[in-house]
């Protein structure tokens, strides 16, 4: 990748005459020497004073408040954001950024945007810090993997004009087993790198001399403590956490604004190293207590060990860089100890939650699970996560709660209680929120489906018959079941069809009536009762005789087909009653008795004709 980028030629190398900005040499590293121990005020030997302090006293600055380059951008600045050529260069104030270095800054911006989007880290801020700290890795002198060659080391932080930081890494990063030194293109001190180091180029190593690793580590460091770098106050705090000096902040701010207007890519190794580093300067007779003012051995012995000042002489403002103070420094307000990155909440992510679906009234098989990570990307335990159900389905967490709070475990995960689906089908959401200040939020979509049935059948087998133009006298009642148990609340659709599969609807024969008494042959929105039964509305016959089919289908696919018969009633002729209330036999042509007929014993024998 770097080799490819080196092939790109720099354009517009013409030097433009510009006004030079006079930059005063800044005091030492813009940082205090080691904190003085009680009773040591007025000592002219900061190193000796530092012997009684804890090793690594840097006020939490990433660089240990090491020296930095004070060159300012050219006065003629790019005015086309994103421009790639034709931008001015002025000596050490080179507008271009070496290819690998620029790629590392942009990669870090993209990576942080996925893990901590609310930070809104701009790559131009990384470029500004990289310019001030190392002159963009000494003008892009990096190998094909992005590793500075030779490695970039700051001076020993031995208390001689700089902070006193005794060795914390056994010389592993900086080659110094006595004192720490700032290391790499972004100038991390070893103790800070131990907490924030990253492997951004995928080589399995966290190397502060690699521009990809260092740029991502710087990005995560700047985003710590829930900072939003789109806010000026948060951006200033982030820069000051890198080096606690207002002059450092102004210098970084200048380059940040410059790069926001535009820059261009130049081949690796062709950048110009800045020429004006901040250097230690002799301090006034006693060290200033303000963080951000360098102090070294006294140039002139203090004329008096007395902590008091001559009468009538105003006390200098201890907040101004280089301001001399009395031999008895004003008490410094306690500085809140920054939260270690391993304990800083960084991001919230889905911990493998699958689709959230359940039948009305049933428990969800899947549970909502999230994972919290710290600022280094490692799982973070004991983070409170609030889960909330929102929607109109009636779904609740186990125990009947809409909102629950769960703390993450050792693996950084928090799992919400089981969800119990409500009785109303539809969609709802589960929201997980963690963090304070700028909390992280995850939202999960969930669905409640209507109750299912695997079978539906009539409750009786009585034939359903009606005459043309009449209604069916007997009601149709069905029962839905699921696994042989009554299925309550199951949605059922009733349709008059021509075939048993229900492929073709029927447009004649039996029908239902809607609210306006108009014929309809399909009914939806029917639901079984608590016993799984459904009694259909009245069914009417039109004037067409025949056998018709009614198909009932449940949510879940169970169905039953019912026959409906429309036919006319058979007509019969009533007989006329005979006198005395009995019916007389119809007359016939012959009335002779049958030969085999036996006369009634109660009647007298018939008279014989002569």
């Amino acid at each position: 990748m770097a080799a490819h980028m080196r092939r790109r030629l720099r354009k517009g190398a013409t030097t433009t005459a510009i006004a030079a900005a006079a930059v005063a040499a800044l005091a030492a590293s813009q940082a205090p020497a080691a904190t003085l121990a009680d009773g040591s005020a007025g000592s002219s030997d900061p190193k000796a004073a530092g012997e009684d302090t804890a090793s690594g006293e840097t006020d939490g600055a990433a660089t240990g408040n090491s020296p930095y380059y004070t060159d300012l951008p050219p006065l003629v600045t790019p005015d086309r954001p994103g421009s790639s050529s034709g931008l001015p260069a002025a000596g050490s104030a080179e507008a271009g950024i070496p290819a690998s270095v620029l790629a590392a800054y942009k990669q870090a911006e993209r990576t942080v945007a996925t893990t901590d989007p609310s930070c809104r880290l701009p790559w131009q801020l990384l470029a500004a810090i990289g310019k001030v700290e190392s002159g963009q890795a000494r003008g892009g002198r990096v190998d094909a993997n992005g590793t500075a060659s030779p490695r970039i080391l700051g001076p020993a932080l031995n208390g001689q004009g700089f902070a006193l930081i005794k060795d914390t890494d056994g010389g592993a990063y900086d080659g110094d087993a006595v004192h720490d030194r700032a290391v790499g293109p972004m100038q991390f001190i070893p103790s800070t790198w131990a907490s924030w180091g990253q492997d951004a180029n995928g080589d399995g190593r966290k190397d502060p001399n690699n521009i990809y690793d260092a740029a991502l580590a710087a990005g995560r460091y700047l985003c710590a403590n829930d900072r939003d770098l789109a806010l000026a106050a948060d951006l200033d705090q982030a820069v000051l956490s890198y080096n606690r000096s207002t002059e450092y902040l102004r210098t970084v701010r200048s380059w940040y604004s410059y790069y926001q207007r535009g820059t261009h890519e130049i081949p690796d190794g062709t950048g110009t190293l800045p020429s004006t580093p901040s250097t230690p300067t002799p301090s006034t007779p006693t060290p200033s207590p303000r963080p951000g003012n360098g102090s070294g051995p006294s140039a002139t012995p203090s004329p008096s060990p007395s902590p008091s000042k001559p009468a009538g002489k105003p006390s200098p403002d201890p907040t101004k860089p280089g301001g001399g103070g009395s031999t008895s420094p004003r008490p410094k307000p306690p500085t809140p100890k920054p939260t270690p990155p391993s304990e800083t909440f960084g991001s919230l992510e889905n911990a493998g939650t699958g689709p959230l679906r359940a039948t009305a009234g049933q428990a969800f098989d899947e549970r909502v699970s999230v994972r919290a990570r710290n600022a280094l990307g490692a799982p973070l335990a004991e983070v409170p996560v609030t889960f909330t159900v929102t929607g109109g389905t009636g779904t609740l967490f186990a125990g009947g709660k809409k909102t629950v709070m769960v703390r993450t475990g050792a693996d950084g995960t928090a799992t919400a209680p089981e969800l119990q689906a409500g009785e109303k089908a539809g969609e709802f959401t589960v929201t997980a929120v963690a963090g304070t200040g700028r909390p992280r939020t995850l939202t999960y979509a969930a669905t409640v489906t209507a109750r299912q049935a695997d079978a539906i059948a009539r409750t009786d087998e009585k034939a359903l018959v009606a005459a043309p133009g009449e209604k069916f006298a007997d009601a149709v009642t069905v029962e839905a079941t699921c696994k042989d148990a009554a299925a309550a609340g199951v949605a059922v659709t009733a349709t008059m069809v021509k075939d048993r599969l229900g492929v073709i609807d029927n447009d004649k024969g039996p029908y239902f009536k809607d609210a306006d008494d108009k014929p309809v042959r399909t009914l939806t929105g029917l639901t079984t009762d608590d016993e799984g039964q459904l009694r259909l509305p009245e069914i009417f016959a039109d004037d067409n005789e025949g056998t018709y089919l009614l198909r009932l289908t449940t949510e879940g696919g169970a169905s039953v087909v019912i026959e409906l018969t429309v036919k006319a009633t058979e007509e019969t002729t009533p007989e006329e009653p005979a006198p005395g209330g009995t019916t007389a036999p119809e007359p016939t042509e012959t009335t002779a008795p049958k030969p085999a007929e036996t006369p009634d014993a109660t009647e007298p024998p018939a008279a014989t004709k002569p």
Side-chain angles (χ1 to χ4, degrees), residues 505-563:
D505 293 351
N506 210 335
D507 56 358
K508 63 180 181 178
Y511 60 88
F512 303 102
K513 287 185 178 180
D514 63 13
D516 297 325
D517 282 342
K518 294 181 179 179
V520 293
R521 291 183 167 83
T522 297
L523 288 181
T524 58
L526 305 173
T527 307
T528 60
D529 60 20
D530 292 342
E531 296 180 353
Q533 294 191 356
L534 170 66
R535 182 186 176 96
L536 294 180
E538 292 180 326
I539 303 175
F540 300 86
D542 61 9
D543 295 333
N544 298 289
E545 295 189 33
T547 299
Y548 298 90
L549 302 177
L550 168 63
R551 192 171 192 265
L552 303 179
T553 305
T554 71
E555 188 77 28
S559 65
V560 62
V561 176
I562 301 171
E563 290 188 356

Side-chain angles (χ1 to χ4, degrees), residues 67-78:
Y68 56 89
Y69 291 102
T70 61
D71 298 60
L72 293 177
L75 297 181
V76 178
T77 59

Side-chain angles (χ1 to χ4, degrees), residues 226 339-349 369-375 378-387 404-416 432-436 438-442:
D226 289 335
T339 304
S342 60
E343 299 177 11
T344 302
F345 176 56
S347 62
L348 190 68
E349 62 185 33
S369 184
V370 299
R371 178 176 289 105
R373 294 189 180 277
N374 63 20
L380 184 61
E382 293 302 318
V383 175
V385 182
T386 301
F387 297 93
V404 295
M405 192 276 284
V406 181
R407 289 185 179 273
T408 58
D411 61 351
T413 62
T415 301
V433 180
T436 58
R438 292 183 295 112
R440 276 54 163 183
T441 302
L442 291 177

Side-chain angles (χ1 to χ4, degrees), residues 156-172:
L157 299 175
N158 56 12
Q160 302 299 315
F162 312 119
L164 172 60
I165 308 178
K166 297 179 181 179
D167 177 65
T168 60
D169 67 332

